[in-house]
Amino acid sequence: MDLYATPEYARTCAHLGTPRTLPRSGVTVLTREVPGESGWYDARAPYPLLNTQAWTALAADLDATDDLLSFVAVIDPACTPPHAVLARVFPDRLVTFKPHHIVRLGDWPALARVDATHRRKARRAAAHVEVEVVESPSAHAAEWVRLYASLRARHGFGGAADFPDTALAAQLALPGMMLVRALRDDHVVSIATWCVDGTRAHYHLGASNPAGYEVGAAYAVFAFALEELASRGVTWVDLGGSAGVSESDDDGLTRFKRGWASETATAWLGGRVLDADGYRTLAEGHDGSQWFPAYRAAVAA
């Protein structure tokens, strides 16, 4: 089972809501109180993606849910069903969210489809760092937490990806998590984590400190990680999309991911109203909002 589909992973997203596993589909959602509206709750999928094969059962679960206002999710491109099935689950909002950058590993180790600048930067970085896959990711939790704190300080981000330190450490212990790290002068300067499920994998999270940025260590880490994934029989890797809610050519993360990718795949955003009267009451005054649920537009949550 894909790591993102497990209740164990959802529990590491508790900063986004209280995990609840639905009985028919086994999908774990995160319930959360609506800001400023005591007693009103809705639900979202765990960060970053909803992954399931039980779409009919999920629709039935949502049909039977009577204590939440709405449910919203970004659907994993790896398991997107036919459009009619997706529309049954998400009848109230179904839109393309943003493209995900996909690596097909059939050409590895030739790297034939990788951007030439990325190849050059990876070779240059490899001259300055030593890269390795660690055998026990959880044994490296402390260094991962320190690097992620450095990333947080550098970019000042919050929101869904702002995992507490305990969650970052807990994720490393989950089955299917792969950790690749780069060392410079025996100090860890860059780490990337990957969720591996058979022939598919997702890039999860990554971080570098100033010493890593100085030599472009992330390029060496990604090149090494993709070679490692190919050696494990992985043929399809989802690197995810851009930061934020929309694609931007000015986003450095987008340019970085695009340089490795051989194609893109669409991630859909789905929304479903579960309590029509309650939703209408809270959404009043947000007519025309493209946000779902509309009553969260002001807090962009």
Side-chain angles (χ1 to χ4, degrees), residues 114-129 215-221 223 255-256 260:
V114 174
D115 178 78
T117 300
H118 275 46
R119 293 200 303 269
R120 185 173 64 254
K121 289 182 176 181
R123 290 193 298 268
R124 183 186 305 158
H128 297 280
V129 298
V215 296
Y219 288 90
V221 167
R255 294 194 301 270
F256 178 77
W260 302 104

Side-chain angles (χ1 to χ4, degrees), residues 4-77:
Y4 288 149
T6 65
E8 291 78 13
Y9 174 76
R11 284 195 284 271
T12 72
C13 297
H15 63 299
L16 302 176
T18 302
R20 177 195 294 187
T21 300
L22 303 179
R24 298 167 180 82
S25 63
V27 169
T28 301
V29 303
L30 303 171
T31 65
R32 53 195 183 160
E33 190 168 17
V34 178
E37 301 289 345
S38 179
W40 293 94
Y41 292 83
D42 58 17
R44 58 161 292 165
Y47 172 88
L49 298 166
L50 170 63
N51 182 296
T52 184
Q53 299 294 333
W55 293 103
T56 300
L58 176 57
D61 278 328
L62 296 175
D63 286 342
T65 300
D66 59 6
D67 63 335
L68 300 172
L69 286 170
S70 64
F71 175 57
V72 64
V74 178
I75 293 88
D76 188 344

Side-chain angles (χ1 to χ4, degrees), residues 167-219:
L168 292 170
Q171 288 173 1
L172 297 186
L174 297 176
M177 186 66 77
M178 184 179 87
L179 185 150
V180 181
R181 67 176 188 164
L183 297 94
R184 183 183 181 191
D185 300 326
D186 296 323
H187 296 286
V188 178
V189 297
S190 185
I191 284 177
T193 57
W194 308 77
C195 304
V196 184
D197 178 36
T199 61
R200 299 185 308 200
H202 291 80
Y203 167 60
H204 182 51
L205 297 170
S208 299
N209 63 18
Y213 282 111
E214 184 180 3
V215 296
Y219 288 90

Side-chain angles (χ1 to χ4, degrees), residues 188-275:
V188 178
V189 297
S190 185
I191 284 177
T193 57
W194 308 77
C195 304
V196 184
D197 178 36
T199 61
R200 299 185 308 200
H202 291 80
Y203 167 60
H204 182 51
L205 297 170
S208 299
N209 63 18
Y213 282 111
E214 184 180 3
V215 296
Y219 288 90
V221 167
F222 262 63
F224 192 96
L226 292 172
E227 296 279 11
E228 174 67 19
L229 291 168
S231 74
R232 296 186 181 193
V234 173
T235 59
W236 190 93
V237 183
D238 185 350
L239 301 182
S242 60
V245 298
S246 62
E247 185 83 352
S248 171
D249 289 337
D250 295 329
D251 176 14
L253 181 61
T254 298
R255 294 194 301 270
F256 178 77
K257 291 179 177 180
R258 185 187 297 134
W260 302 104
S262 47
E263 61 190 75
T264 59
T266 298
W268 290 81
L269 183 142
R272 179 173 179 139
V273 174
L274 303 174
D275 177 346

